[in-house]
């Protein structure tokens, strides 16, 4: 066994994230392990681009309130202590609300014989971030107001 040296914190690349996002690799042990865990920190108003995971991904929100959007226009909020599963192949995005930081753990599997970790697409628009359908649902959904630019 060995205690590992933590790799440096990485800035989320501009082709995958809107706004300031930083992540730390918590677990990426060598094969045959497929375990992958990152801590991802989102600045207010920041979020991922649209993407999907080949083997799915589990998110656990640890701080702040997450916004998670789906292709049908729904935007839901996920709170600290709650977990969200995004099934293999399901397009989605996730990020912070407009006014506060959000941190989540991202957990997935990666390795030979598995589908690609993630496939990335376009940036999330302002309308998508606000959640066009949030008023249609009981309980409201994400806040419609968002003043800051991303
Ligand atoms: Mn995801």
């Amino acid at each position: 066994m060995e205690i590992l040296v933590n790799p440096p914190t990485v800035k989320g690349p501009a082709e995958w994230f809107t706004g300031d996002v930083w992540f730390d690799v918590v677990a990426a042990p060598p094969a045959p392990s497929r375990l992958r865990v990152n801590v991802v920190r989102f600045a207010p108003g920041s979020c991922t681009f649209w993407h999907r995971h080949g083997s799915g991904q589990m998110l656990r929100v640890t701080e702040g309130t997450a916004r998670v959007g789906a292709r049908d226009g729904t935007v839901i909020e996920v709170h600290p202590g709650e977990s969200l599963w995004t099934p293999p192949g399901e397009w989605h995005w996730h990020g912070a609300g407009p006014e506060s930081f959000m941190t989540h753990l991202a957990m997935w599997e990666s390795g030979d014989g598995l589908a690609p970790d993630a496939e990335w697409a376009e940036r999330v628009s302002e309308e998508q971030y606000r959640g066009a359908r949030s008023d249609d649902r009981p309980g409201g959904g994400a806040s419609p107001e968002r003043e800051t630019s991303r």
Side-chain angles (χ1 to χ4, degrees):
M1 68 184 93
E2 59 177 320
I3 294 179
L4 302 173
V5 176
N6 290 335
T9 300
V10 176
K11 178 78 162 64
E15 63 268 32
W16 291 354
F17 298 97
T18 296
D20 291 328
V21 177
W22 295 83
F23 63 91
D24 290 279
V25 176
V26 173
S33 176
R34 295 170 159 186
L35 179 67
R36 298 292 183 271
V37 182
N38 285 351
V39 172
V40 191
R41 295 181 170 88
F42 293 82
S46 67
C47 66
T48 69
F49 280 26
W50 286 100
H51 64 284
R52 58 182 179 176
H53 304 286
S55 300
Q57 187 174 74
M58 182 71 75
L59 302 178
R60 164 61 71 98
V61 177
T62 58
E63 185 177 20
T65 300
R67 285 187 180 198
V68 184
R71 279 295 192 197
D72 68 0
T74 359
V75 175
I76 61 170
E77 294 192 336
V78 186
H79 299 100
E82 292 181 326
S83 294
L84 180 88
W85 169 245
T86 56
E90 183 175 295
W91 289 101
H92 66 283
W93 57 268
H94 31 105
E99 294 178 348
S100 55
F101 282 84
M102 185 278 286
T103 302
H104 68 49
L105 289 168
M107 297 164 274
W108 73 103
E109 290 186 295
S110 179
D112 290 345
L114 294 180
D117 294 18
E119 178 183 351
W120 292 88
E122 78 278 12
R123 175 189 181 99
V124 174
S125 71
E126 287 291 326
E127 182 182 33
Q128 290 166 340
Y129 180 84
R130 285 193 304 268
R133 293 184 58 202
S134 61
D135 289 341
D136 300 342
R137 291 173 293 120
S143 162
E145 294 304 320
R146 184 154 165 271
E147 303 297 334
T148 56
S149 62
R150 289 177 292 144

